[in-house]
Amino acid sequence: MIPDGPLVFVDIDTQRDFLEPDGALYIPGSEAILANLSRLTEFARSRGIPVLATACAHTSEDEELRIDRPHCLLGTPGQGRVAATAWPGTRVLQADETLTGDLPLHLTLHKHQYDLFSHPDADRLIALYDRDHPTFVVYGVATDYCVKAAVTGLLDRDCRVALVLDAIRAIDAAAEPEILTEFARRGILLTLTEVVCAG
Ligand SMILES: [Zn+2]
């Protein structure tokens, strides 16, 4: 069960380059989570749950691309969200931009590095979301990189975190048990799409 109280959904990098078989940095088997991503997104839309959606938005100079294959280059179709998590009218915050005004219902946070907290406004934004002490419900890809960085960063800021096990995917599946064990040790809630959407 998700604890009673407000929720914030954190949709990590559910972009075409990661989730579609012809994507630039396709994560094998990741299409298996698409139906759950879609269900979570519909649930958020129908309940008015705020969504913070992160997105790699690289330029050819980004340091990350010296390690990983080029992916999610700004202006390419692969940088876009998959249909399952797309949100028409989302407020896109560029990688060097500060949000002015209130938090929108759906915020797309562009970033040059895999860690969402590499965005200069991320700390402040998370503090704003955390004002009502919600549960941050995290899903997306990849468990062993961007998801791990997001969950770790939220825990470091004393946020309450739930991770949706059937809506995440690792690049290296063998790395997953150790990561999940460490998260559980730090007190996050491991949950499933149908449990979240039953709330
Ligand atoms: Zn990236």
Side-chain angles (χ1 to χ4, degrees), residues 18 56 58 64 71:
F18 298 124
C56 274
H58 291 302
E64 187 183 303
H71 62 275

PDB file of all heavy atoms in Angstrom, residues 18 56 58 64 71, ligand 1:
ATOM      1  N   PHE A  18      15.563   5.347 -25.518  1.00  0.00           N
ATOM      2  CA  PHE A  18      15.789   4.264 -24.547  1.00  0.00           C
ATOM      3  C   PHE A  18      14.789   3.120 -24.688  1.00  0.00           C
ATOM      4  O   PHE A  18      15.112   1.961 -24.431  1.00  0.00           O
ATOM      5  CB  PHE A  18      15.692   4.799 -23.109  1.00  0.00           C
ATOM      6  CG  PHE A  18      16.710   5.848 -22.761  1.00  0.00           C
ATOM      7  CD1 PHE A  18      16.317   7.096 -22.289  1.00  0.00           C
ATOM      8  CD2 PHE A  18      18.076   5.598 -22.874  1.00  0.00           C
ATOM      9  CE1 PHE A  18      17.250   8.073 -21.952  1.00  0.00           C
ATOM     10  CE2 PHE A  18      19.016   6.564 -22.541  1.00  0.00           C
ATOM     11  CZ  PHE A  18      18.597   7.805 -22.081  1.00  0.00           C
ATOM     12  N   CYS A  56      16.837  13.337 -20.731  1.00  0.00           N
ATOM     13  CA  CYS A  56      18.140  13.674 -21.293  1.00  0.00           C
ATOM     14  C   CYS A  56      17.889  14.601 -22.477  1.00  0.00           C
ATOM     15  O   CYS A  56      16.993  14.356 -23.284  1.00  0.00           O
ATOM     16  CB  CYS A  56      18.845  12.420 -21.824  1.00  0.00           C
ATOM     17  SG  CYS A  56      19.786  11.504 -20.585  1.00  0.00           S
ATOM     18  N   HIS A  58      20.594  16.169 -24.804  1.00  0.00           N
ATOM     19  CA  HIS A  58      22.028  16.356 -25.014  1.00  0.00           C
ATOM     20  C   HIS A  58      22.355  17.230 -26.219  1.00  0.00           C
ATOM     21  O   HIS A  58      21.602  17.300 -27.177  1.00  0.00           O
ATOM     22  CB  HIS A  58      22.705  14.993 -25.197  1.00  0.00           C
ATOM     23  CG  HIS A  58      22.717  14.183 -23.938  1.00  0.00           C
ATOM     24  ND1 HIS A  58      23.296  14.618 -22.776  1.00  0.00           N
ATOM     25  CD2 HIS A  58      22.194  12.956 -23.646  1.00  0.00           C
ATOM     26  CE1 HIS A  58      23.153  13.696 -21.836  1.00  0.00           C
ATOM     27  NE2 HIS A  58      22.474  12.680 -22.329  1.00  0.00           N
ATOM     28  N   GLU A  64      28.720  13.414 -21.018  1.00  0.00           N
ATOM     29  CA  GLU A  64      28.126  12.068 -20.912  1.00  0.00           C
ATOM     30  C   GLU A  64      28.256  11.284 -22.219  1.00  0.00           C
ATOM     31  O   GLU A  64      28.381  10.064 -22.211  1.00  0.00           O
ATOM     32  CB  GLU A  64      26.653  12.206 -20.516  1.00  0.00           C
ATOM     33  CG  GLU A  64      25.975  10.879 -20.219  1.00  0.00           C
ATOM     34  CD  GLU A  64      24.497  11.049 -19.896  1.00  0.00           C
ATOM     35  OE1 GLU A  64      24.177  11.797 -18.952  1.00  0.00           O
ATOM     36  OE2 GLU A  64      23.671  10.446 -20.588  1.00  0.00           O
ATOM     37  N   HIS A  71      22.843   9.874 -27.617  1.00  0.00           N
ATOM     38  CA  HIS A  71      21.420   9.571 -27.443  1.00  0.00           C
ATOM     39  C   HIS A  71      20.697  10.848 -27.027  1.00  0.00           C
ATOM     40  O   HIS A  71      21.309  11.764 -26.490  1.00  0.00           O
ATOM     41  CB  HIS A  71      21.222   8.481 -26.375  1.00  0.00           C
ATOM     42  CG  HIS A  71      21.724   8.905 -25.018  1.00  0.00           C
ATOM     43  ND1 HIS A  71      23.044   8.767 -24.640  1.00  0.00           N
ATOM     44  CD2 HIS A  71      21.098   9.483 -23.967  1.00  0.00           C
ATOM     45  CE1 HIS A  71      23.196   9.237 -23.407  1.00  0.00           C
ATOM     46  NE2 HIS A  71      22.042   9.685 -22.974  1.00  0.00           N
TER      47      HIS A  71
HETATM   48 ZN    ZN B   1      21.826  10.985 -21.290  1.00  0.00          ZN
END
